[in-house]
Amino acid sequence: RKEVEQDPGPFNVPEGATVAFNCTYSNSASQSFFWYRQDCRKEPKLLMSVYSSGNEDGRFTAQLNRASQYISLLIRDSKLSDSATYLCVVAASGSARQLTFGSGTQLTVLP
Amino acid sequence: DAGVTQSPTHLIKTRGQQVTLRCSPKSGHDTVSWYQQALGQGPQFIFQYYEEEERQRGNFPDRFSGHQFPNYSSELNVNALLLGDSALYLCASSLFGGRVDGELFFGEGSRLTVL
């Protein structure tokens, strides 16, 4: 079993749609959680950190459920520029940011 | 403010050869981590260097080795290349002892093809 598992995708959605990505992690010692975005043939970039209380950044909302070891990302009012691969990422306690990445979910927003 | 820079951007090697990849961290950062990203997969942690020492290592064989220099730059060396080593190699920099949820900054990567 992979340490971080994501929806396989790909997701193809029309502009303006709401899309949700899910992710589960197996290491209960995981301490920090993130969503990274990776454009085609580019490096990953931090989209947002994920906190137990949930957090929102504009059209993006991230949720964490530690009991279920489940992380989600919701994108509202999708834009063409949101097309990318979204990577679910966890870091174990004391890992000094040794990140474990999921395989990613590819999103294509269609005009 | 220079971000993370990596070289070369692309390279082609044959099986059995050796390769060296280079990374300069973001200004002000002292820690360099290396990741391997195979096609269609997420990045996998190789190792991390701080104060010129390997601090953490992922599940990679000894063919993968590294070095960090006094100016914080780093090299990744891979010996006896296999076809399966073909991947994008990403360098990430950070500040050791910073917030656990602090951001890692990635370079654009070195794309290695092994024939």
Side-chain angles (χ1 to χ4, degrees):
Chain A
R1 181 185 175 189
K2 291 185 178 179
E3 286 191 55
V4 179
E5 298 209 52
Q6 296 186 237
D7 288 346
F11 284 60
N12 298 313
V13 302
E15 269 188 290
T18 296
V19 60
F21 301 140
N22 302 315
C23 168
T24 58
Y25 61 95
S26 60
N27 185 353
S28 59
S30 297
Q31 183 181 60
S32 301
F33 309 89
F34 312 92
W35 284 100
Y36 272 71
R37 170 193 169 128
Q38 187 171 26
D39 293 312
C40 186
R41 304 185 75 80
K42 294 288 191 178
E43 74 276 21
K45 292 183 179 179
L46 179 66
L47 178 66
M48 58 197 305
S49 299
V50 188
Y51 304 110
S52 295
S53 56
N55 48 302
E56 185 174 309
D57 183 1
R59 298 181 293 107
F60 298 83
T61 301
Q63 295 277 353
L64 167 65
N65 184 322
R66 285 186 184 269
S68 302
Q69 297 181 199
Y70 172 90
I71 306 162
S72 66
L73 176 68
L74 185 75
I75 306 176
R76 292 181 300 277
D77 189 23
S78 300
K79 311 291 185 189
L80 296 177
S81 58
D82 294 334
S83 297
T85 296
Y86 291 82
L87 297 159
C88 177
V89 186
V90 306
S93 175
S95 69
R97 278 163 287 170
Q98 174 182 333
L99 304 182
T100 301
F101 286 78
S103 296
T105 301
Q106 186 177 350
L107 171 67
T108 300
V109 181
L110 304 170
Chain B
D1 178 22
V4 180
T5 58
Q6 292 187 241
S7 64
T9 55
H10 296 81
L11 68 167
I12 300 173
K13 294 285 187 178
T14 57
R15 281 178 297 175
Q17 286 189 311
Q18 178 264 342
V19 67
T20 297
L21 308 178
R22 296 176 177 82
C23 172
S24 292
K26 180 179 168 63
S27 178
H29 283 181
D30 56 10
T31 302
V32 173
S33 302
W34 287 92
Y35 288 79
Q36 179 197 65
Q37 186 173 23
L39 196 62
Q41 300 297 315
Q44 286 196 340
F45 177 77
I46 303 175
F47 43 52
Q48 181 184 80
Y49 277 83
Y50 169 67
E51 288 188 333
E52 303 178 48
E53 290 187 11
E54 183 181 294
R55 298 290 175 161
Q56 295 187 70
R57 189 179 183 92
N59 188 25
F60 279 80
D62 292 344
R63 298 187 298 109
F64 289 77
S65 63
H67 189 78
Q68 186 179 34
F69 299 94
N71 68 351
Y72 308 122
S73 67
S74 177
E75 288 182 350
L76 164 65
N77 301 292
V78 187
N79 294 323
L81 285 168
L82 304 174
L83 296 180
D85 295 331
S86 295
L88 179 67
Y89 288 85
L90 294 161
C91 170
S93 79
S94 57
L95 191 60
F96 195 85
R99 286 178 51 166
V100 176
D101 64 349
E103 183 174 355
L104 277 187
F105 289 84
F106 284 88
E108 293 190 359
S110 295
R111 191 168 298 277
L112 170 65
T113 302
V114 181
L115 302 178

